[in-house]
């Protein structure tokens, strides 16, 4: 493909992207293909000869689109949203244009420096303390996902804890033994990425019980830590969540801070979904606890109109992260890095290579302005509230089990006789809704109760889509309950 053909195909592709977004509402949200569908229609071997672009483009239409679940559809209410936006897509196009592998400052100074600037912008919009900014001892970095952020902060925390023992005279052998006694905590609602991080790092993990609102309380943390210390374990890392995956619950962060005061336990805040809301004045009350944590992470790719992947991690003392992850072979040595005047983000992450993701953040913030981003977040929450109010008008059919937070509505179908029946009805309603192709949402289980989660977030979703989704829910629930009883 030469430049002139790229120009032609590039314009065609942008036209196709525009058409996709214009028609998105009409697609069935959830893909209906059978497992293995693609293997059946694609050749077994890679083509030996070059193929014309028309054939490749045609296969997007006929082979790929049928296997797409349309996350950007205005009728997608599953999981948590994963917004895209045109400025973000353009940012990724520029990133692809340069295709730099910005592992250290020298490998592309703009890639590193823009990342520091936009992460400082975002940190300030969220309201993070000065200590999280890059001009002090902390700073922000883009990770691929919140899972990676959890893993790297766990490793930084391990480093910090072992440093304490080293300072007290522990040798390598002793440090190895101590490592086996380290224990990390989350709650029974913490995202599974924490458990996975402890599996990767070979660290003990305990999920602590939550209260009636599925929040982790300081008292629980204190009691469980005391028990573990009495048994010879060394608590060193805890994740507090703002906006849990199941129900958007908020852990009692200030109480957790009190519970770990005077220890060397690292507090990481996972606000993968709900962190976006912190740019709005309505949620600033949460900052008191957050600003006492050691690290904080939010996914701009969930609620802030930035395409996947874009998880923003801030850390108060970057030296722990860097010391935990830095290895410098000769090939990476250079005088600028050695001068200590620059940041090398390869030392803040698992992989060496990294994409120029700061561009899309830069484009998004400048195109929408902080004001536009706040409006997007609050619009989403307003739409969720609209759906919730409709549910509340039918107390004989639906129950909202927990205090709703942010833009998530959880509910289940009521049954007068038993939990088992309620679960059966809820599952049937959820399956019927998704089979309809008109909307897509996910269900979960919380303390044995099936729950349907409704999480709007696409910028294309309007009140019309919310009302249509509710009417469909009502119709299906009425049919299912009549037939079942
Ligand atoms: N933490 C929370 C609270 C989440 O809700 C999710 C995903 O929804 C994650 C972490 C994992 O996110 P990621 O896919 O970025 O690793």
């Amino acid at each position: 493909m030469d430049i002139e053909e790229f120009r032609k195909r590039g314009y065609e592709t942008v036209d196709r992207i525009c058409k996709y977004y214009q028609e998105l509402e009409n697609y069935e949200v959830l893909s209906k293909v059978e497992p293995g569908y693609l293997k059946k229609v694609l050749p077994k071997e890679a083509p030996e000869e070059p193929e014309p672009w028309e054939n490749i483009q045609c296969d997007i239409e006929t082979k790929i689109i049928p296997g797409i679940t349309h996350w950007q559809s205005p009728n997608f209410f599953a999981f948590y949203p994963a917004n895209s936006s045109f400025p973000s897509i353009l940012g990724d196009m520029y990133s692809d244009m340069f295709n730099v592998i910005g592992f250290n400052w020298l490998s592309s100074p703009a890639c590193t420096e823009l990342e520091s600037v936009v992460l400082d912008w975002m940190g300030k919009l969220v309201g993070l303390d000065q200590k999280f900014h890059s001009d002090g001892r902390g700073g922000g970095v883009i990770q691929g996902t919140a899972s990676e952020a959890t893993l790297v902060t766990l490793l930084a925390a391990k480093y910090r804890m072992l440093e304490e023992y080293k300072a007290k005279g522990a040798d390598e052998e002793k440090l190895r033994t101590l490592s086996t006694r380290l224990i990390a905590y989350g709650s029974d609602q913490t995202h599974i990425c924490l458990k996975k991080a402890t599996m990767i790092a070979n660290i003990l993990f305990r999920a602590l019980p939550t209260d009636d609102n599925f929040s982790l309380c300081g008292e629980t943390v204190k009691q469980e830590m005391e028990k573990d210390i009495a048994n010879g374990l060394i608590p060193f890392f805890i994740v507090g969540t703002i906006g849990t995956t199941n129900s958007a619950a908020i852990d009692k962060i200030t109480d957790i801070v009190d519970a770990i005061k005077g220890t060397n336990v690292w507090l990481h805040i996972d606000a993968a979904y709900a962190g976006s809301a912190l740019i709005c004045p309505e949620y600033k009350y949460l900052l008191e606890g957050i600003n006492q944590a050691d690290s904080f992470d939010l996914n701009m790719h969930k609620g802030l109109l930035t395409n996947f992947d874009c998880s923003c991690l801030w850390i108060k003392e970057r030296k722990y992260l860097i010391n935990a992850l830095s290895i410098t072979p000769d090939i990476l040595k250079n005088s600028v890095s050695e001068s200590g005047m620059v940041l090398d983000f390869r030392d803040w992450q698992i992989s060496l290579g990294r994409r120029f993701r700061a561009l899309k953040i830069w484009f998004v913030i400048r195109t929408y302005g902080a004001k536009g981003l706040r409006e997007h977040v609050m619009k989403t929450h307003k739409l969720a509230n609209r759906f919730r109010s409709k549910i509340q008008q039918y107390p004989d059919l639906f129950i909202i089990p927990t205090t709703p937070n942010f833009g998530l509505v959880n509910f289940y179908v009521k049954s007068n006789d038993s939990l088992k029946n309620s679960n059966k009805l809820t599952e049937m309603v959820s399956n019927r809704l998704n089979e309809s192709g008109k909307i897509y949402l996910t269900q979960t289980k919380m303390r044995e109760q099936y729950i349907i989660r409704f999480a709007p977030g696409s910028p294309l979703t309007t009140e019309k889509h919310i009302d249509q989704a509710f009417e469909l829910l009502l119709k299906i629930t009425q049919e299912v309950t009549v037939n079942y009883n």
Side-chain angles (χ1 to χ4, degrees), residues 80 144-148 191 193 241 243-245 270 272-273 299 301-302:
Y80 277 135
T145 60
S147 306
E148 289 164 55
H191 191 271
C193 68
T241 307
T244 57
T245 313
D270 175 3
Y273 158 68
N299 281 357
H301 65 242
K302 278 191 162 57

Side-chain angles (χ1 to χ4, degrees), residues 72-230:
Q72 304 312 317
S73 163
N75 298 311
F76 182 98
F77 305 112
F79 307 104
Y80 277 135
N83 299 161
S84 72
S85 72
F86 297 125
S88 179
I89 293 174
L90 294 175
D92 268 345
M93 280 172 76
Y94 274 107
S95 173
D96 285 343
M97 173 174 100
F98 299 124
N99 199 30
V100 298
I101 316 294
F103 43 75
N104 63 15
W105 183 87
L106 195 58
S107 71
S108 227
C111 179
T112 298
E113 296 210 3
L114 188 63
E115 188 157 329
S116 271
V117 170
V118 293
L119 270 270
D120 280 349
W121 283 6
M122 268 311 298
K124 286 177 195 168
L125 286 181
V126 165
L128 294 183
D129 195 276
Q130 175 73 26
K131 288 186 179 145
F132 285 104
H133 302 170
S134 64
D135 47 11
R137 301 206 306 243
V141 60
I142 306 173
Q143 302 281 330
T145 60
S147 306
E148 289 164 55
T150 304
L151 174 58
V152 296
T153 48
L154 176 102
L155 296 173
K158 176 181 170 192
Y159 180 90
R160 186 174 81 177
M161 184 54 94
L162 292 182
E163 274 295 288
E164 185 188 310
Y165 283 95
K166 221 165 150 180
K168 288 181 196 156
D171 60 13
E172 286 302 315
E173 182 58 33
K174 176 85 179 151
L175 291 176
R176 255 194 301 279
T177 321
L178 289 166
S179 294
T180 63
R181 288 164 43 203
L182 295 176
I183 180 160
Y185 302 97
S187 82
D188 54 21
Q189 297 300 310
T190 304
H191 191 271
I192 45 100
C193 68
L194 172 59
K195 178 141 202 250
K196 199 184 232 184
T198 59
M199 284 160 61
I200 296 168
N202 198 17
I203 293 279
L204 298 171
F205 166 66
R206 191 179 317 291
L208 307 178
T210 46
D211 68 7
D212 290 347
N213 253 325
F214 299 92
S215 307
L216 178 61
C217 302
E219 195 48 39
T220 311
V221 173
K222 201 162 179 284
Q223 283 169 10
E224 297 294 323
M225 269 181 25
E226 279 169 5
K227 268 193 241 164
D228 285 337
I229 291 168

Side-chain angles (χ1 to χ4, degrees), residues 289-312:
I290 292 170
N291 274 326
Q292 297 182 68
D294 295 286
S295 50
F296 171 84
D297 184 74
L298 71 83
N299 281 357
M300 283 192 76
H301 65 242
K302 278 191 162 57
L304 284 177
L305 299 166
T306 310
N307 285 45
F308 188 80
D309 53 347
C310 195
S311 189
C312 300

Side-chain angles (χ1 to χ4, degrees), residues 271-376:
Y273 158 68
S276 308
L278 289 159
I279 66 170
C280 305
E282 289 80 351
Y283 293 100
K284 295 293 181 197
Y285 74 95
L286 291 166
L287 283 168
E288 190 193 339
I290 292 170
N291 274 326
Q292 297 182 68
D294 295 286
S295 50
F296 171 84
D297 184 74
L298 71 83
N299 281 357
M300 283 192 76
H301 65 242
K302 278 191 162 57
L304 284 177
L305 299 166
T306 310
N307 285 45
F308 188 80
D309 53 347
C310 195
S311 189
C312 300
L313 169 68
W314 289 269
I315 196 153
K316 262 188 192 155
E317 293 274 359
R318 59 180 181 250
K319 70 176 181 196
Y320 296 118
L321 190 56
I322 294 170
N323 290 343
L325 299 178
S326 182
I327 310 173
T328 309
D330 287 341
I331 194 172
L332 293 177
K333 284 189 180 148
N334 67 82
S335 56
V336 198
S337 292
E338 278 158 25
S339 75
M341 288 168 63
V342 297
L343 298 178
D344 288 343
F345 279 132
R346 70 185 174 88
D347 296 332
W348 300 49
Q349 63 178 23
I350 304 293
S351 58
L352 172 67
R354 56 200 329 273
R355 299 193 318 118
F356 197 169
R357 288 174 292 208
L359 279 171
K360 61 186 169 190
I361 302 185
W362 197 41
F363 284 14
V364 165
I365 298 181
R366 294 176 68 190
T367 309
Y368 289 94
K371 185 166 166 262
L373 293 177
R374 285 188 204 105
E375 279 167 9
H376 170 69

